[in-house]
Amino acid sequence: MPFENSSKKPNLIYIFADQLRYSSLGYAGDTNALTPNIDAWSRECTDLCQTVSGHPVCAPYRASLLTGKYTTSTGMVINEIRMNTHHHTFADVLNENGYETAYIGKWHMYAAELGNHYDPKNSFIPKGRDRLGFNDYFAGYNFRHEYQPGTAYYHLDTPEKIYYDKYEPDAQTDMAISQLQRLSKGRKPFALFLSIGTPHDPWVPENVPAECLERFRDKRFRLPPNYLPHNDPHADDWAKLSPADRESLPDWMRVYYAMTANLDDNMGRLFSAIRNMGLEEDSIVVFTSDHGELFGAHGRRAKNIFYEEAVRVPFLIRWKGRLAEGAARDFVFNTVDIMPSLLSLMGLPVPKEAEGENLSACIRGEADTDRGALMMCTGPTAVFGDGNEWRAYRTKRYTYAIFKADGLELLFDNQEDPYQTHNLAEDAAHAQVAANLKTRMLAEMERIGDTFENNTYYQENWVENRLIKRTATLH
């Protein structure tokens, strides 16, 4: 049942890593992973094991998370543009229902220009609507991924840079624990969002603690089974691999897994703190990620594609005594579904303009659904340009996708072909499956006003000086 006792609403602790794929965690079966704390904690959680990132890029994911809307309705069609503030957001609902909010970490929705990440005009998010309703404690920065002390910093309520005195994820976890100690003593229910930058690249030894890297000294990292020696012709410049990149893939993976091990260390500390503060029964705790990473799979690196390595992310949710422990739910859970589902679990109203579905009954195990997930790419990762756009529809078993540039259609049976190496779109035996998924995908696109435009359409009609002015639903 939803939480109905208005005098004691549940807290929310929402932790999300950056570029952490589902398949790189020990509980998901990765033998290279060293994630004992997350693995142990997963056994106390409900595991939403078919969670996908509806637009597997940093800023589009964050915009959808905080609005419950698809990219074509948030307008965050690429990275490095500025969010329109005329949305009824997750934090707005929390404020309206008596919550205190706290946000720590990467924001990535307040760009004034491409790059120049260390200039406060890009890294500082001022108080007010640009924080999308996070009106209380806000220790954030817009975007960067150098994590060492002396380089990594954040802002509070002024453009002044406050430098971390230790490895950024370690310091951010300290900050989160400190805020939980403060918030737990208050009278209000609270919501803490912790946005950790790792294991996002650059994957160089200097960007991870030496002790964590040492744990992987004897590990052997191999190219993925679906590695391709040539670049995907649909890839943008962020996804292409140079010859030097290809030679570096095993070394990159070593640093990536070391970053993930450090993340696990910190999650162990955070989970212990939640227990020690007696917050378990009063708090919904989520551990997830914004998107994954390909490491050469399908001839690509990075994200921004419908393949499993990019879209499938962990989503562990715990509410002691109210959600099942050690249970796996295999309904498909999309980014746009997170806000309406969590608000409903908390007994809070869902904004009528949210486009995701309230799947709280499925989380509780009281219902199931065969509903799939509409996934999308509306352009290159961080510049405007045509040729990379796609739409996809993923169900429990299949992924159907189509590229706009050349009309190429793809269909994968993820159950029989988990590495998605056999395109069944032209297979007569699967024609009905492909047609059905395409019909379902087009119906969802029509519902939200997505007309599958070229990326430069958005540049010409929606975005002015990197500020989102209009969207499919915001005029």
Side-chain angles (χ1 to χ4, degrees), residues 44-84:
E44 302 176 7
C45 294
T46 297
D47 178 8
L48 306 190
C49 60
Q50 294 255 31
T51 297
V52 297
S53 179
H55 189 153
V57 178
C58 302
Y61 165 89
R62 285 163 173 74
S64 290
L65 167 68
L66 296 182
T67 64
K69 299 178 183 179
Y70 290 96
T71 293
T72 47
S73 292
T74 68
M76 191 63 73
V77 293
I78 59 172
N79 279 346
E80 316 262 338
I81 56 179
R82 186 175 297 183
M83 185 70 170
N84 189 293

Side-chain angles (χ1 to χ4, degrees), residues 30 87 117 164 211 272 352 354 362 413 426 437 453 470:
D30 192 325
H87 297 277
H117 301 137
Y164 295 112
E211 181 275 327
S272 293
K352 65 181 186 305
C362 298
D413 183 337
E426 300 299 324
L437 295 178
E453 303 291 346
R470 287 167 289 280

Side-chain angles (χ1 to χ4, degrees), residues 16-19 53 55 57-69 74 76 79 83 103 105-109 132 141-143 145 194-197 200 289-291 335:
F16 55 121
D18 196 332
Q19 213 147 317
S53 179
H55 189 153
V57 178
C58 302
Y61 165 89
R62 285 163 173 74
S64 290
L65 167 68
L66 296 182
T67 64
K69 299 178 183 179
T74 68
M76 191 63 73
N79 279 346
M83 185 70 170
Y103 190 98
K106 175 179 170 180
W107 185 249
H108 211 184
M109 293 178 285
L132 301 181
Y141 57 90
N142 199 40
F143 173 75
H145 283 288
L194 175 59
S195 174
I196 293 182
H200 192 293
S289 174
D290 58 353
H291 54 74
T335 307

Side-chain angles (χ1 to χ4, degrees), residues 54-55 64 68-75 334 336-337 352-357 371 373-378 390-393 440-453 458 462 470-475:
H55 189 153
S64 290
K69 299 178 183 179
Y70 290 96
T71 293
T72 47
S73 292
T74 68
N334 200 359
V336 293
D337 304 325
K352 65 181 186 305
E353 62 267 35
E355 294 169 339
E357 188 169 340
R371 173 181 172 273
L374 171 63
M375 306 185 298
M376 62 179 64
C377 162
T378 51
W390 54 261
R391 297 293 184 273
Y393 196 81
R440 293 169 69 178
M441 182 188 79
L442 292 173
E444 182 69 353
M445 291 168 62
E446 182 177 10
R447 181 180 77 87
I448 63 171
D450 174 17
T451 49
F452 202 180
E453 303 291 346
Y458 308 120
W462 290 8
R470 287 167 289 280
T471 75
T473 56
L474 184 67
H475 304 289

